[in-house]
Amino acid sequence: MTLVLKRSALKMWLMAMAGIPLLVISLDVLTNRRITNWLREIVFRPEDTQIYEPRDVIWAWAMALFAGFIVLWGLKELFIPTKVIECRDEGLALKLSGPFRQPSLILWDDIDDVAGGQIDDEGDVVPLLLISVLRRQGLPANPWGARWVKDDQLGVLAEDWSEDPRIVADEIVECAVAAARKEKRDRADRMAASLEEE
């Protein structure tokens, strides 16, 4: 049994769409200013009209770059989503080291428990996948998209997932059991093969 969890396609699409108005307004300020002039005429009286200053152009460039990044990243995640969690034969691979880096691998033997949970983040309740580990060796001290809830418990933020973290936790437990059975069968097959050779 394998499990690969990716971010919610709907949430990534909505994020990409949220950047489009910022991109349109910033490009309007940098080009012919039709939309912004129309808005300016609605907001201000003709005798109190505001003129554009160099800082407006600087802000427009910054907004265009930011909005372009949001749109491109949202579309990239929509069409080529990042594997946030992947169950492998040897353990659980988590995207904890940031973008463009290899996932961190927690061996099955180093996992004590997996459960779904929540955390209060400055008034917002954020869903988490809680992973209790026996050893933190090889895991980042400041994980990307996660946090250390306790010394031995990693909370992976699940707010942009399409599945509930409790369901994901149950699937991870099933993968761990399947991996243990496969390892046991492989060990038995190796023993049988070595006995036949003797």
Side-chain angles (χ1 to χ4, degrees):
M1 176 179 198
T2 60
L3 168 71
V4 175
L5 180 71
K6 300 175 181 176
R7 292 185 178 94
S8 168
L10 176 63
K11 290 180 181 177
M12 294 300 105
W13 180 77
L14 289 174
M15 185 176 64
M17 293 301 104
I20 290 179
L22 293 173
L23 193 59
V24 168
I25 293 294
S26 61
L27 292 177
D28 182 66
V29 169
L30 294 171
T31 57
N32 57 17
R33 298 181 178 156
R34 287 184 187 163
I35 298 171
T36 50
N37 283 337
W38 174 73
L39 289 172
R40 189 179 64 192
E41 289 170 6
I42 291 173
V43 174
F44 299 105
R45 295 179 305 194
E47 60 271 10
D48 294 336
T49 189
Q50 301 289 315
I51 60 170
Y52 289 100
E53 297 179 9
R55 71 169 181 240
D56 298 326
V57 175
I58 292 169
W59 279 111
W61 274 110
M63 193 164 56
L65 292 172
F66 177 71
F69 173 77
I70 286 177
V71 169
L72 290 175
W73 188 69
L75 291 174
K76 179 261 177 208
E77 285 295 319
L78 178 64
F79 295 114
I80 309 168
T82 302
K83 296 176 185 177
V84 180
I85 293 178
E86 181 181 11
C87 288
R88 299 179 180 169
D89 288 339
E90 61 272 12
L92 189 62
L94 302 168
K95 196 73 172 165
L96 298 176
S97 299
F100 312 115
R101 295 195 179 169
Q102 293 296 321
S104 301
L105 183 67
I106 306 173
L107 299 176
W108 292 122
D109 292 341
D110 292 337
I111 296 176
D112 185 36
D113 189 26
V114 180
Q118 296 177 338
I119 192 168
D120 183 18
D121 186 29
E122 297 177 2
D124 293 333
V125 177
V126 179
L128 291 174
L129 176 70
L130 298 167
I131 304 168
S132 299
V133 295
L134 300 173
R135 294 182 311 131
R136 287 178 60 165
Q137 185 178 0
L139 298 175
N142 298 309
W144 178 277
R147 61 178 67 159
W148 288 103
V149 179
K150 297 178 184 172
D151 284 342
D152 63 342
Q153 193 173 50
L154 180 67
V156 182
L157 302 175
E159 57 193 341
D160 60 353
W161 295 3
S162 56
E163 288 189 55
D164 186 280
R166 291 174 293 215
I167 295 170
V168 173
D170 292 339
E171 292 175 1
I172 290 173
V173 169
E174 290 176 18
C175 288
V177 170
R181 287 181 182 151
K182 183 177 185 281
E183 184 181 344
K184 186 177 179 181
R185 277 194 310 268
D186 291 347
R187 192 178 305 139
D189 290 345
R190 284 194 303 270
M191 258 189 191
S194 66
L195 290 174
E196 286 177 7
E197 287 175 2
E198 293 175 1

